[in-house]
Amino acid sequence: MPKVSVIIPVYNVEQYLERCLDSVINQTLKDIEIICVDDCSTDNSLEILTRYAKDDSRIKVVALKENKKQGYARNKALKVATSEYIGFIDSDDEIELNYYEKLYNKAKETNSDIACANIVAVKSDKINKAVWLREGKNDGQKLCTIFEKLKRVYENSSTSPCKHIYKAELLKNSNIGFSEGCFHEDQLFNIKAYYFANQVILENENSPVYKYFMRDGSTTRQDLKSPRYKKFFFDQLFVIQEIIGFLKLKKIDNVTKAVLLKDFEQIVTNLSNKINEHYLMEFLAAASKLELNKEFIKKLKKDRNKVFLQKIFSVKNEIRPNKKYKVVSVFGVKLKFGFNIDKLLCILKPKNIRVRRNSILLVEVNDIDHAEVLPGYAKYLLDLGYNVDVVLTENNYRMNSLCRIKDKNLRVYPIKRYFFGKFFNSSLIKKYSKIFFTSYITYYSIGSLSSAELKLWDGRYVTIFEHFPVLNKYRNKIYTVEHHLDLADKELLKNKHVISLAKFDTQDKNFTMVNPNYFGEVKNTNKNEKITKFITIGTFFVFRKNTELLTKTVRLLKEQGFDNFEICAIGQYKPQDFSSDDFKNINFMGRVSADIVYDKLEQADFFLPMLDPENPDHDRYITTGTSGSFQLIYGFNKPCLISEKFAKPHYFDKNNSVVYKTNSDFIEAIKQAINMNPEDYRTMQKNLTKTTDKIRTESMQNLKEILKT
């Protein structure tokens, strides 16, 4: 009996198939069988399979006479598989050469029915760290209870069978197979597999990597707004109802069921935001028949009624590169009225923007990304005697990051995202002496989100010069702030027009450090006497920051009798990533405006950056990148708890912060902060103030020098 059967459904992938097969036949685990099911390909895929099968006796080729889709192909292969474990790989992807050896050994060592690997998204042979990165955040946990197992199914790409191996006996005895003839065929499969498994062993940082190649034309990369792929959306509803039926049949407890139903609600919401409006009313009607939360169903029905009324009569704006139209629909008949977009520039400002002499323009083209640097740069430039205009998106404007900067020479203008191109093409730009972009990278495409998506799938970010070609004319007066130096524009770097938020020891010394850590007048508070208050700010997903360390530490502190502390967490989070106890011990506030953030910072005693010294991805914070958390620590004079790995490059030491070594030392650092007496705390704050003053003095001098270029 082979140790692992590798099942590969194949359909029209002649460009990628050899790469996939090479990664499988060269596995370090030799005792495998490879079952390839050709789903009636119309290209040369079957010929490639036949050629490989002649050279390798482990390859079995099953050729279907008609196209039956991936679910059927996998089920067909399951019937002929003879091994101890089953693995799956899509024919346009590839795996590390030790992939199945590591997974098999992990499953055997832990006596698990299912073992998981890491999965990463890849484009052009480069790992795309911007999208779907899921590497080793679970620490190899063992899932045994029904709640633990099913809670994980929709986390970390766990619905993909390609990141697992399954004991063949489990699939056979529990009659587990794939839904046939539809999209999302693997979701019910994994729900059942996780449910019946005696134990699931999750991935860790040493787990092998499955490389999911993002290519145009693949099943999961279709244009989901086209009529052809209406089926994609409605099949998801079909699969969700199948899963709900299974949960009812197995009498899953209400807590576990609630977690999954919450996931389903999010899936339905996401799909309803993407589907072609022609099918939206029909989709919402079908979704409202699902057995989900009553309040959620009410919302779906309300949305359906709204869509119905809009079909009778509606007025919408339609944006094109040079014009904005008002589209009036009456009983399906559309009337389009156009007008000159120049007239809409009044949205930018009261009356007209009048560029004053000696003015510098600060620009943030992204939504809620790097606005924390705006107050500091505005303050520095004002202190150097410049007039400052800030142009930022409406969402960033509402976040109110400049709320504490009061100066008659500072003006702030919100602008709709799709007006930036017009604004940069206007004569106003010529009148500014310098232009600072607080983000060199843009995270969306002006006027077309689908274009942005395509750019991101290319495995790289899109720059301001690509989105706004007119800016190339003004390179001599444009300065960019780099949050990650490895992405810097080479020409700007050569001309010393690149600003970094921290000092880094790199070969290229042409960048200049200007750290913007001023947010306005700040109250320097003493340490809270009864309850020590911690604050952390960022994105609290299981694959971001060091979230699991935080929740584990809080639980341990509670178990050890510590109840004289509280933690405020500000930023985006997913409720399903946390237990009910986490919400008792940590105040998750979500994303809030800057004025609230600033108030909470003043009330806090210590800041928790939650950088992970054991996560290679976080090494960028000592080589090329920095965190907005550091600006807040300096600006609000809040000592932080930080690993010594990240301390020195960012001016922290044991005199101005609580420094620990490894993750295992984090709990002792928390205890040290809780037990710190007021006098020692004041001394630490004074030392941090000196550090901040030193950074500001150096930053001001550096800024003054580069403005001469």
Side-chain angles (χ1 to χ4, degrees):
M1 179 188 294
K3 292 178 178 176
V4 178
S5 290
V6 183
I7 292 175
I8 310 175
V10 177
Y11 179 69
N12 288 356
V13 285
E14 61 180 357
Q15 289 179 275
Y16 315 97
L17 185 54
E18 291 186 356
R19 181 186 67 197
C20 172
L21 291 172
D22 287 342
S23 73
V24 178
I25 63 176
N26 292 309
Q27 287 288 299
T28 54
L29 180 66
K30 302 300 181 184
D31 193 6
I32 61 176
E33 68 173 352
I34 305 163
I35 306 172
C36 302
V37 182
D38 180 71
D39 195 15
C40 202
S41 296
T42 57
D43 64 0
N44 293 318
S45 294
L46 182 56
E47 286 82 352
I48 294 171
L49 292 176
T50 304
R51 173 162 50 84
Y52 269 76
K54 286 181 180 178
D55 295 335
D56 194 323
S57 61
R58 297 173 302 172
I59 298 177
K60 300 177 182 177
V61 178
V62 179
L64 302 181
K65 294 182 180 179
E66 57 180 309
N67 183 257
K68 292 281 194 176
K69 304 290 187 261
Q70 191 161 255
Y72 181 91
R74 284 174 172 167
N75 287 339
K76 188 78 172 175
L78 283 172
K79 291 177 182 178
V80 300
T82 62
S83 62
E84 185 181 359
Y85 280 85
I86 306 290
F88 300 91
I89 179 171
D90 288 342
S91 50
D92 52 354
D93 297 336
E94 69 173 285
I95 51 179
E96 288 187 331
L97 295 182
N98 61 359
Y99 187 77
Y100 284 117
E101 181 179 19
K102 278 194 169 186
L103 276 183
Y104 178 81
N105 289 340
K106 185 195 290 189
K108 296 294 287 184
E109 289 166 6
T110 58
N111 191 31
S112 297
D113 282 347
I114 301 175
C116 301
N118 290 316
I119 184 169
V120 297
V122 178
K123 183 71 175 178
S124 302
D125 297 326
K126 294 180 181 178
I127 293 178
N128 180 358
K129 295 186 177 180
V131 186
W132 288 16
L133 179 59
R134 305 286 191 272
E135 287 203 38
K137 300 301 172 189
N138 289 315
D139 300 329
Q141 294 166 285
K142 297 175 183 177
L143 308 181
C144 299
T145 69
I146 297 295
F147 175 77
E148 287 176 330
K149 288 185 290 184
L150 294 191
K151 180 176 179 286
R152 292 283 182 170
V153 173
Y154 282 91
E155 296 178 8
N156 291 352
S157 301
S158 289
T159 57
S160 170
C162 296
K163 71 170 288 186
H164 304 82
I165 61 168
Y166 307 83
K167 186 170 283 187
E169 187 180 6
L170 164 72
L171 302 183
K172 183 178 179 181
N173 292 347
S174 301
N175 194 28
I176 300 172
F178 293 88
S179 302
E180 295 184 3
C182 66
F183 290 102
H184 319 291
E185 75 287 339
D186 48 14
Q187 294 185 20
L188 180 58
F189 174 89
N190 248 25
I191 288 281
K192 288 182 176 181
Y194 270 55
Y195 175 84
F196 287 113
N198 72 319
Q199 179 172 279
V200 179
I201 183 73
L202 294 182
E203 74 273 18
N204 60 28
E205 61 182 9
N206 295 317
S207 293
V209 172
Y210 182 96
K211 296 178 182 179
Y212 162 66
F213 277 80
M214 302 171 294
R215 64 178 180 87
D216 296 331
S218 68
T219 303
T220 56
R221 292 286 315 286
Q222 306 291 356
D223 177 7
L224 302 182
K225 293 186 179 182
S226 70
R228 183 183 173 192
Y229 295 101
K230 170 187 174 182
K231 182 175 169 57
F232 178 93
F233 296 88
F234 287 83
D235 279 356
Q236 178 69 82
L237 301 183
F238 168 75
V239 170
I240 287 175
Q241 191 56 53
E242 273 195 319
I243 295 172
I244 292 173
F246 174 78
L247 298 179
K248 289 174 66 177
L249 184 67
K250 295 302 176 183
K251 297 181 180 178
I252 306 296
D253 66 275
N254 289 334
V255 175
T256 306
K257 191 185 295 183
V259 169
L260 283 171
L261 293 183
K262 198 70 177 175
D263 286 327
F264 297 154
E265 290 174 13
Q266 188 60 56
I267 290 169
V268 172
T269 300
N270 292 343
L271 290 178
S272 66
N273 290 333
K274 290 181 179 179
I275 194 169
N276 188 304
E277 63 178 15
H278 181 70
Y279 304 116
L280 179 56
M281 191 166 70
E282 185 183 352
F283 178 82
L284 292 172
S288 63
K289 295 177 182 177
L290 295 173
E291 299 175 60
L292 297 176
N293 182 283
K294 290 182 180 179
E295 291 302 316
F296 182 72
I297 296 301
K298 281 183 183 178
K299 180 182 179 301
L300 290 179
K301 290 180 177 178
K302 188 176 179 181
D303 291 344
R304 179 180 176 273
N305 292 335
K306 191 184 297 183
V307 174
F308 176 72
L309 292 173
Q310 287 175 348
K311 285 184 178 292
I312 298 174
F313 178 81
S314 68
V315 180
K316 293 182 179 179
N317 291 326
E318 184 177 302
I319 306 302
R320 290 291 177 263
N322 297 316
K323 278 193 174 183
K324 180 174 179 179
Y325 298 95
K326 193 74 73 174
V327 181
V328 179
S329 298
V330 182
F331 292 104
V333 178
K334 291 186 177 182
L335 305 173
K336 185 183 289 187
F337 302 92
F339 47 92
N340 195 322
I341 206 167
D342 286 322
K343 295 180 180 178
L344 295 177
L345 284 175
C346 59
I347 291 176
L348 298 178
K349 69 274 179 204
K351 298 181 182 178
N352 296 314
I353 289 183
R354 182 178 59 82
V355 180
R356 300 159 293 181
R357 291 185 62 189
N358 199 30
S359 285
I360 288 181
L361 179 66
L362 283 179
V363 185
E364 174 55 81
V365 297
N366 295 300
D367 274 343
I368 318 172
D369 285 299
H370 300 131
E372 76 277 353
V373 306
L374 289 171
Y377 283 133
K379 172 64 173 173
Y380 293 165
L381 292 167
L382 290 167
D383 286 351
L384 289 174
Y386 292 94
N387 293 310
V388 178
D389 288 346
V390 178
V391 174
L392 71 173
T393 64
E394 289 179 304
N395 284 339
N396 252 327
Y397 180 76
R398 283 192 287 270
M399 295 305 284
N400 210 13
S401 62
L402 289 139
C403 61
R404 294 193 177 190
I405 308 293
K406 308 297 181 185
D407 193 297
K408 64 180 181 180
N409 295 319
L410 171 67
R411 300 187 302 192
V412 183
Y413 301 113
I415 177 172
K416 290 184 180 294
R417 291 200 318 189
Y418 42 76
F419 286 138
F420 274 110
K422 187 68 178 178
F423 178 64
F424 295 141
N425 272 289
S426 73
S427 59
L428 294 171
I429 297 300
K430 301 175 184 177
K431 300 177 182 179
Y432 288 102
S433 59
K434 309 286 183 183
I435 304 172
F436 279 68
F437 278 86
T438 59
S439 297
Y440 172 59
I441 301 301
T442 58
Y443 301 100
Y444 66 91
S445 177
I446 304 301
S448 173
L449 290 176
S450 60
S451 173
E453 194 174 36
L454 288 174
K455 290 290 187 181
L456 282 173
W457 287 111
D458 280 343
R460 64 179 183 83
Y461 294 113
V462 187
T463 72
I464 56 172
F465 296 116
E466 290 173 300
H467 268 162
F468 314 109
V470 67
L471 292 176
N472 283 285
K473 294 195 300 186
Y474 304 112
R475 279 180 174 268
N476 63 322
K477 62 179 180 181
I478 287 178
Y479 297 79
T480 63
V481 178
E482 289 306 338
H483 300 260
H484 300 287
L485 277 174
D486 52 326
L487 300 176
D489 182 89
K490 303 303 180 187
E491 183 181 337
L492 292 179
L493 196 60
K494 181 180 178 181
N495 295 330
K496 297 188 177 181
H497 279 217
V498 173
I499 300 170
S500 170
L501 300 176
K503 282 184 175 179
F504 296 108
D505 186 15
T506 66
Q507 291 182 345
D508 195 330
K509 302 295 183 182
N510 285 333
F511 68 91
T512 303
M513 187 280 289
V514 180
N515 188 286
N517 54 56
Y518 183 85
F519 298 89
E521 292 301 317
V522 172
K523 297 176 185 175
N524 209 12
T525 56
N526 295 321
K527 186 173 184 285
N528 290 287
E529 294 183 8
K530 295 182 179 180
I531 302 290
T532 301
K533 295 184 178 183
F534 298 89
I535 189 169
T536 182
I537 299 174
T539 303
F540 304 99
F541 294 166
V542 291
F543 54 92
R544 293 282 295 273
K545 278 187 164 291
N546 208 350
T547 306
E548 288 195 12
L549 175 64
L550 179 64
T551 54
K552 286 179 182 177
T553 301
V554 170
R555 287 180 212 141
L556 285 172
L557 287 169
K558 292 289 185 178
E559 290 172 6
Q560 295 175 18
F562 284 83
D563 57 3
N564 57 338
F565 73 97
E566 61 182 45
I567 295 177
C568 174
I570 296 176
Q572 192 175 2
Y573 70 99
K574 294 180 179 178
Q576 63 266 33
D577 286 345
F578 304 96
S579 70
S580 56
D581 287 337
D582 293 331
F583 289 102
K584 292 177 185 176
N585 302 324
I586 303 173
N587 177 20
F588 287 98
M589 295 186 64
R591 185 174 275 166
V592 296
S593 60
D595 49 342
I596 297 175
V597 174
Y598 297 165
D599 288 344
K600 289 294 182 182
L601 277 163
E602 284 186 335
Q603 297 166 20
D605 299 311
F606 295 94
F607 197 106
L608 304 175
M610 298 312 302
L611 296 181
D612 187 352
E614 297 164 20
N615 183 354
D617 278 347
H618 285 192
D619 286 350
R620 65 180 182 272
Y621 293 114
I622 56 176
T623 55
T624 60
T626 187
S627 166
S629 293
F630 298 143
Q631 272 71 259
L632 295 170
I633 291 166
Y634 306 140
F636 285 85
N637 202 28
K638 297 299 172 183
C640 66
L641 279 63
I642 189 168
S643 164
E644 65 179 10
K645 181 177 183 177
F646 304 102
K648 187 176 179 181
H650 300 285
Y651 308 95
F652 299 117
D653 55 38
K654 63 181 180 180
N655 296 314
N656 60 26
S657 293
V658 178
V659 180
Y660 59 94
K661 288 189 177 181
T662 64
N663 283 337
S664 59
D665 301 319
F666 180 64
I667 188 170
E668 294 304 320
I670 289 271
K671 291 177 184 178
Q672 180 184 338
I674 293 171
N675 295 326
M676 187 177 296
N677 63 57
E679 186 176 342
D680 288 343
Y681 181 79
R682 281 193 294 271
T683 301
M684 187 170 280
Q685 270 195 319
K686 288 178 182 177
N687 291 332
L688 185 56
T689 301
K690 292 178 183 177
T691 300
T692 302
D693 289 343
K694 180 181 177 182
I695 295 171
R696 286 182 185 170
T697 300
E698 185 177 356
S699 295
M700 284 284 284
Q701 185 58 40
N702 289 345
L703 183 59
K704 189 175 181 180
E705 288 298 318
I706 65 170
L707 288 174
K708 295 177 182 178
T709 60

